[in-house]
C-alpha cells in the first residue's frame, strides 16, 4: 500500500474528519503513487488515519475517502452513492413538483471532487479532483445502476481541474445523448435547461428554496431581478403574482432563454421586460432616473474567487447593495446573495449593513438564506456552505 506520512501534530483536522490534506502537512510519501491512486494516510508515529486519493499536482495533496482501514473501491462508492441518493428521496420519488436535484454534493456527501445533478431523465457529473477522475468509470457504472435515468453526461469543464493536472472534459458518459433542452419542474415552475452550455451543470439548483420564497413574497410587487440569468427568480416572481418584472443581465442568450422559460409558464409578455445591460451601470441609471421597485433581487456571480480578492469583492457587493437600497420603495424587499465561499456570512451581513447606512435606509433582516438542502454541508466540512443571502426589508 502506498503511504502518506504526516508531519508531527498535523493529523488534527483528519481526526475531526475534515477531508483535505495540504502538501505542507506531509512529511514523506512512500511508493510513488500516481494521480488519484489510493494512499494510506498515517500520523508521524505510524498510526493509520484513513485512506484517500493522491493528487500529485495540487496543493491539496490528499482528499480523504475513509477515516478507517477501509480502502476505497467499488463497494465503497456503491455505498456512498446509495446513501447520497437515498437521502434525496424526499425530493425525488413521486414528487412531481421537483425533478431537478443535486444527488451528490462532493465533500459533504463523503465523495470529494464528485458532483452529480439530476435533471429529469439525465444525470450531469463533474469530476474536479484526481481521485474522482480515477474512479470515473466505477462511479458512472454505479450511477447507471442505482438511479433510473436515460443518460449520464459529463460537464467537467472546470478551471480547478488544471490545478489537479487534468484537462477539461465534457460529453456523454453513458446511455442516450440528452436533448438540447431538458424541461425541469422546480416547486411547480417550469424551466428549460441546456446541460451542455448552461452555467455549472446547467442550472442554479442551489437557489431553489430562495426562488420559492421570492415567489411567495412577490404578489402585486414591481420586481427588479438583477443578474437574472435564465430567469430563475423572475419566473418565480411572476408565477407568484408580481405586477411586473425587469430582468437585468449582461448575457443576451441567457435572457433569450429566460423569455422562453417565462412563456413556458403561461405568463403574458406585458408583465416583464428584458434588459441586456451591466448591473453596476443600470442601477446607477435607475437611480438617476428616479426609478424605484418594490422588490429587488441581487444574485451576482462570484465576486471573490480567492482569499486575496475579499476586499475587492466586498467593495463590489457593497456598491450594488447600496444602490439597490436607494431605489427600493418604502416597505420594499431586497433579496441579496453571495455565492463566494471565501466571503464569511458575518462579513456579508456587515457589508449589507454598511450599504444600508451609506444609502441612508433603515434595513431589517427578515431571514438568513442559504443553499437548498440537496446541497448539504457536512458538519465536519464548513467549507461546504458557500451560498449566503439575506431577505431584508426597508
Ligand atoms: N439568479 C440566477 C443566477 C445568476 S448567475 C438564477 O437563479 O438562475 C449570474 C449572472 O450574472 C449570469 O447570467 C451573468 O451573465 C450575469 N452577469 C455577470 N456579471 C454581470 C454584470 N456586471 N451585469 C449584468 N449581468 C452580469
Amino acid at each position: 500500500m502506498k503511504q502518506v506520512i504526516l508531519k508531527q501534530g498535523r493529523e488534527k483536522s483528519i481526526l475531526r474528519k475534515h477531508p483535505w490534506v495540504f502538501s505542507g502537512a506531509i512529511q514523506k510519501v512512500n511508493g510513488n503513487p500516481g494521480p488519484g491512486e489510493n494512499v494510506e494516510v498515517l500520523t508521524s508515529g505510524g498510526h493509520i488515519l484513513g485512506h484517500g486519493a493522491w493528487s500529485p499536482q495540487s496543493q491539496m495533496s490528499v482528499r480523504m475517502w475513509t477515516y478507517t482501514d477501509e480502502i476505497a473501491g467499488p463497494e465503497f462508492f456503491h455505498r456512498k452513492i446509495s446513501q447520497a441518493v437515498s437521502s434525496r428521496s424526499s425530493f425525488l420519488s413521486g414528487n412531481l413538483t421537483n425533478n431537478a436535484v443535486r444527488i451528490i454534493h462532493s465533500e459533504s456527501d463523503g465523495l470529494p471532487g464528485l458532483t452529480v445533478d439530476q435533471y429529469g431523465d439525465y444525470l450531469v457529473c463533474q469530476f474536479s479532483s484526481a481521485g474522482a477522475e480515477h474512479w470515473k468509470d466505477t462511479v458512472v457504472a454505479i450511477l447507471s445502476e442505482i438511479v433510473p435515468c436515460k443518460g449520464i453526461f459529463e460537464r467537467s469543464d472546470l478551471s480547478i481541474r488544471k490545478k489537479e493536472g487534468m484537462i477539461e472534459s465534457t460529453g456523454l458518459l453513458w446511455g442516450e445523448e440528452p436533448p438540447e433542452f431538458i424541461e425541469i419542474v422546480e416547486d411547480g415552475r417550469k424551466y428549460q435547461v441546456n446541460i451542455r452550455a448552461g452555467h455549472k451543470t446547467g442550472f442554479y439548483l442551489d437557489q431553489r428554496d430562495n426562488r420559492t420564497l421570492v415567489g411567495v413574497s412577490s404578489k402585486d410587487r414591481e420586481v427588479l431581478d438583477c443578474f437574472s440569468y435564465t430567469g430563475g427568480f423572475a419566473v418565480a416572481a411572476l408565477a407568484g403574482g408580481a405586477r411586473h418584472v425587469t430582468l437585468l443581465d449582461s448575457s443576451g442568450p441567457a435572457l433569450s432563454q429566460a423569455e422562453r422559460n417565462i412563456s413556458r409558464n403561461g405568463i403574458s409578455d406585458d408583465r416583464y421586460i428584458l434588459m441586456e445591460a451591466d448591473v453596476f451601470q443600470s442601477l446607477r441609471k435607475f437611480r438617476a432616473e428616479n426609478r424605484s421597485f418594490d422588490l429587488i433581487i441581487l444574485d451576482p456571480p462570484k465576486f471573490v474567487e480567492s482569499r486575496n480578492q475579499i476586499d475587492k469583492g466586498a467593495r463590489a457587493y457593497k456598491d450594488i447593495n447600496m444602490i439597490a437600497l436607494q431605489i427600493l420603495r418604502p416597505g420594499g424587499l431586497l433579496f441579496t446573495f453571495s455565492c463566494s465561499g471565501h466571503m464569511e456570512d458575518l462579513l456579508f451581513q456587515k457589508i449589507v449593513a454598511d450599504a444600508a447606512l451609506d444609502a441612508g435606509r433603515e434595513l431589517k433582516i427578515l431571514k438568513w438564506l442559504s443553499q437548498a438542502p440537496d446541497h448539504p454541508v457536512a458538519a465536519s466540512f464548513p467549507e461546504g456552505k458557500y451560498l449566503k443571502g439575506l431577505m431584508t426589508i426597508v
Side-chain angles (χ1 to χ4, degrees):
M1 185 81 209
K2 300 180 178 178
Q3 292 179 323
V4 169
I5 298 156
L6 300 186
K7 289 180 183 162
Q8 199 175 1
R10 300 302 290 267
E11 65 276 13
K12 289 197 187 87
S13 64
I14 300 186
L15 290 172
R16 296 183 57 81
K17 303 215 168 143
H18 190 286
W20 295 345
V21 180
F22 288 93
S23 57
I26 295 173
Q27 182 194 123
K28 197 168 170 233
V29 181
N30 290 333
N32 195 22
E37 238 187 276
N38 281 329
V39 288
E40 187 178 62
V41 180
L42 301 110
T43 64
S44 59
H47 174 73
I48 296 177
L49 293 162
H51 293 83
W54 179 242
S55 285
Q57 304 244 4
S58 170
Q59 286 283 90
M60 213 178 274
S61 302
V62 180
R63 287 173 181 77
M64 301 299 287
W65 293 126
T66 68
Y67 300 89
T68 60
D69 50 15
E70 182 183 8
I71 299 166
E75 242 173 72
F76 165 82
F77 286 101
H78 197 280
R79 187 179 76 243
K80 285 301 209 188
I81 293 172
S82 304
Q83 279 170 354
V85 171
S86 69
S87 75
R88 269 72 168 184
S89 58
S90 59
F91 294 97
L92 283 168
S93 61
N95 184 344
L96 297 177
T97 63
N98 267 316
N99 69 353
V101 177
R102 173 152 298 187
I103 55 175
I104 298 177
H105 189 45
S106 201
E107 277 86 350
S108 291
D109 281 307
L111 294 165
L114 178 63
T115 298
V116 184
D117 288 341
Q118 176 162 18
Y119 294 101
D121 291 330
Y122 296 88
L123 305 185
V124 185
C125 305
Q126 292 182 322
F127 300 86
S128 63
S129 66
E133 178 76 16
H134 183 82
W135 293 99
K136 188 186 277 182
D137 293 349
T138 306
V139 165
V140 170
I142 294 168
L143 284 170
S144 68
E145 179 202 322
I146 291 182
V147 187
C149 65
K150 289 185 182 163
I152 303 179
F153 196 82
E154 178 174 21
R155 276 294 304 275
S156 300
D157 44 341
L158 302 161
S159 56
I160 40 167
R161 277 174 64 100
K162 273 202 202 95
K163 290 187 184 166
E164 297 277 318
M166 306 186 299
I167 54 165
E168 297 186 353
S169 171
T170 59
L172 189 68
L173 293 170
W174 178 87
E176 288 174 28
E177 274 287 346
E180 185 179 4
F181 294 111
I182 299 176
E183 179 146 314
I184 61 155
V185 186
E186 174 188 272
D187 286 354
R189 303 177 289 272
K190 292 175 192 152
Y191 300 96
Q192 285 181 343
V193 176
N194 182 335
I195 62 166
R196 290 181 185 79
H199 290 183
K200 307 228 269 185
T201 61
F203 199 63
Y204 289 88
L205 295 173
D206 50 359
Q207 288 283 26
R208 180 189 310 107
D209 293 7
N210 301 325
R211 285 192 279 260
T212 299
L213 182 63
V214 162
V216 297
S217 310
S218 290
K219 192 151 181 44
D220 297 330
R221 292 187 188 258
E222 190 180 343
V223 175
L224 173 61
D225 181 9
C226 298
F227 309 98
S228 65
Y229 188 47
T230 55
F233 282 102
V235 166
L238 288 161
R243 200 165 66 243
H244 188 269
V245 178
T246 301
L247 290 85
L248 185 51
D249 201 284
S250 54
S251 158
L255 288 170
S256 304
Q257 185 55 49
E259 186 159 38
R260 289 193 288 274
N261 285 339
I262 292 171
S263 101
R264 282 297 290 121
N265 287 274
I267 290 152
S268 63
D269 55 13
D270 56 346
R271 288 180 59 208
Y272 69 93
I273 188 164
L274 307 172
M275 277 184 66
E276 185 180 336
D278 176 75
V279 167
F280 292 84
Q281 288 169 12
S282 304
L283 287 173
R284 287 179 164 75
K285 197 155 161 277
F286 288 140
R287 183 176 61 184
E289 292 166 352
N290 283 323
R291 280 284 311 271
S292 59
F293 297 89
D294 304 303
L295 190 157
I296 299 178
I297 300 134
L298 293 176
D299 184 24
K302 240 190 233 175
F303 288 156
V304 183
E305 296 273 2
S306 61
R307 235 164 242 297
N308 56 18
Q309 292 178 351
I310 291 180
D311 288 347
K312 189 167 150 255
R315 284 194 292 278
Y317 285 116
K318 187 175 165 192
D319 185 61
I320 52 173
N321 279 278
M322 185 192 75
I323 309 177
L325 288 167
Q326 287 173 329
I327 63 170
L328 203 52
R329 293 181 192 137
L333 298 172
L334 171 69
F335 288 81
T336 181
F337 298 95
S338 164
C339 60
S340 303
H342 293 287
M343 169 72 58
E344 301 271 344
D345 290 36
L346 269 178
L347 177 58
F348 183 62
Q349 187 178 322
K350 189 170 175 297
I351 290 166
V352 176
D354 285 350
L357 276 178
D358 285 7
R361 303 299 298 265
E362 241 177 69
L363 187 72
K364 287 192 197 85
I365 297 169
L366 302 180
K367 211 172 168 59
W368 280 262
L369 308 173
S370 188
Q371 62 226 40
D374 51 341
H375 296 57
V377 184
S380 57
F381 183 69
E383 292 89 341
K385 177 169 193 280
Y386 60 97
L387 182 63
K388 61 211 67 81
L390 299 168
M391 176 187 184
T392 64
I393 189 166
V394 288

